[in-house]
Amino acid sequence: MSKYLIVGAGALGCLYAAELARAQQQVYLLVRDTQANIQTRELAYTRIDGTQESIQVQALDTPAWRQQAPTWAATFCGIILATKAQDALASVQALAPQLPPQVPVLLLQNGMGSQQAVAQYLGGQHLVLAASVTEGAYLKAPFSPVHAGRGVLRLGAFDPEQTKAQDAAQAWVRTWPTAHLKCIYAQDIHPWLWQKLAINAVINPLTLIYNCPNGELMQHLPQVRLLVEELQTLLQSLAIQLPCTDLQTCVQEVIQATAGNISSMLQDQRAGRPTELAYISAYVLACAKQVGLTLPAHVRLYQQAQACLAIKD
Ligand SMILES: NC(=O)c1ccc[n+]([C@@H]2O[C@H](COP(=O)([O-])OP(=O)(O)OC[C@H]3O[C@@H](n4cnc5c(N)ncnc54)[C@H](OP(=O)(O)O)[C@@H]3O)[C@@H](O)[C@H]2O)c1
């Protein structure tokens, strides 16, 4: 039995907690509560086939982690960071003084920029792994995760040159205890992160400005094509080769496969929560700027998305 710490009791954090606990692993879920003790929490889990199950995990908050960590932290086989991108660095900083460098930290965040911030903060001693996740999950109530779409957790060393992190990524996949959530090793995770970023950079802000489910973007195909063309120019300038053979086809396939979904960005906006726009559109535009490109369609879309979110600058 291995011991996992999952940071963030949101949709993905609770999904992974539920499935790891079902696979008889010891799961500790780091929550934002204020009770500084470790407590048993019930997850009301809805599996992909619609069946429901009540699953027990251990929940704790940051003060409890700090209290226990000196004698305890090194016994974890891995830490899964399941916060939104904008919370990733702060959540690692809260744990960091008691984060043993030999325990791998797996980053699940969408978009890019938060992984770099965490890796830079932790420095070269820590084993930082990054993932591209295509599972679909949401919370129907606190601690009530619903597995809504089957996907894959693809992970690799955030720094592919760091041999120890590569070894840790391979070991993570080799020892992954549940077949219900697929886990695959990527020798270079960056093309996968970029592919997810590119897809998100088209779909998420478009669904925000049109206030529509993903599938309705098929009514805006000329705009989708233009946005993808600009991304292809950027990827070429950055010498990034995506795993998919054709990004245009790939984006349209995702739109069709997720036609009924409300994108996470639109869900967040509707719920009045911060979005990951800065780690998606703004990150793309910052990369373009670095290589001397302007991406007019993305600039316009970013401005429209900001207006929807009532962001001032
Ligand atoms: N859900 C999906 O289907 C899916 C699929 C692929 C990728 N992703 C990506 O995975 C990441 C997580 O997504 P999600 O949907 O699970 O988000 P979410 O439902 O918003 O969950 C994030 C959770 O992290 C908690 N959190 C933030 N900072 C924390 C801290 N310092 N300590 C403890 N908990 C903290 C949040 O608490 P508060 O609510 O109190 O802020 C929230 O419960 C995102 O980057 C998302 O884009 C999600």
Side-chain angles (χ1 to χ4, degrees):
M1 189 193 281
S2 297
K3 211 194 272 181
Y4 290 86
L5 178 71
I6 299 179
V7 181
L12 270 196
C14 287
L15 171 69
Y16 281 101
E19 284 292 354
L20 287 170
R22 287 185 76 237
Q24 312 302 324
Q25 307 303 297
Q26 266 185 288
V27 176
Y28 290 83
L29 193 54
L30 195 111
V31 301
R32 277 219 224 244
D33 285 0
T34 47
Q35 73 247 350
N37 288 315
I38 299 176
Q39 296 194 339
T40 301
R41 269 271 163 88
E42 297 278 337
L43 297 179
Y45 178 38
T46 306
R47 297 174 62 195
I48 191 99
D49 61 4
T51 54
Q52 311 228 343
E53 219 173 306
S54 179
I55 292 170
Q56 288 192 343
V57 298
Q58 300 302 305
L60 73 163
D61 67 1
T62 310
W65 164 263
R66 291 210 179 110
Q67 210 178 347
Q68 303 284 339
T71 55
W72 192 54
T75 63
F76 283 83
C77 73
I79 295 175
I80 300 177
L81 203 73
T83 68
K84 285 278 170 59
Q86 58 272 18
D87 294 321
L89 179 60
S91 63
V92 166
Q93 284 170 331
L95 301 178
Q98 286 94 9
L99 210 55
Q102 70 275 20
V103 178
V105 180
L106 176 64
L107 310 177
L108 300 188
Q109 286 64 44
N110 266 346
M112 295 255 267
S114 68
Q115 301 91 338
Q116 285 85 343
V118 169
Q120 199 175 356
Y121 174 77
L122 287 176
Q125 295 304 307
H126 285 265
L127 304 170
V128 180
L129 314 183
S132 160
V133 185
T134 55
E135 301 287 355
Y138 65 92
L139 288 183
K140 67 179 178 194
F143 300 99
S144 303
V146 178
H147 190 191
R150 205 182 281 286
V152 54
L153 166 67
R154 194 179 303 273
L155 64 88
F158 182 69
D159 176 2
E161 305 297 316
Q162 195 191 356
T163 314
K164 279 187 180 173
Q166 286 284 17
D167 293 346
Q170 288 181 38
W172 188 297
V173 173
R174 212 173 36 245
T175 58
W176 184 246
T178 171
H180 291 286
L181 297 175
K182 207 168 167 190
C183 182
I184 297 178
Y185 168 69
Q187 193 172 8
D188 186 357
I189 193 65
H190 289 264
W192 294 99
L193 295 177
W194 265 100
Q195 184 162 302
K196 188 94 198 286
L197 174 68
I199 295 166
N200 284 337
V202 176
I203 295 178
N204 282 15
L206 279 179
T207 57
L208 183 65
I209 66 165
Y210 292 122
N211 189 21
C212 69
N214 293 0
E216 280 186 30
L217 299 184
M218 291 308 282
Q219 294 166 20
H220 302 278
L221 273 186
Q223 194 176 3
V224 168
R225 288 201 191 98
L226 185 58
L227 289 162
V228 173
E229 272 168 30
E230 288 188 356
L231 287 167
Q232 287 168 322
T233 307
L234 173 62
L235 290 163
Q236 210 171 0
S237 294
L238 295 168
I240 293 169
Q241 177 109 42
L242 297 187
C244 69
T245 42
D246 177 33
L247 187 57
Q248 292 285 7
T249 310
C250 179
V251 169
Q252 287 183 38
E253 281 174 357
V254 174
I255 290 173
Q256 282 165 331
T258 61
N261 291 14
I262 300 297
S263 73
S264 56
M265 195 173 281
L266 182 53
Q267 282 182 45
D268 286 338
Q269 186 258 357
R270 285 178 176 176
R273 295 186 297 253
T275 72
E276 293 181 312
L277 187 67
Y279 297 87
I280 297 176
S281 302
Y283 186 85
V284 165
L285 292 176
C287 290
K289 196 172 171 193
Q290 273 174 12
V291 290
L293 285 175
T294 46
L295 309 179
H298 282 273
V299 171
R300 209 164 38 250
L301 178 59
Y302 179 51
Q303 287 166 347
Q304 290 172 310
Q306 280 186 309
C308 283
L309 299 171
I311 294 172
K312 294 204 170 46
D313 50 9

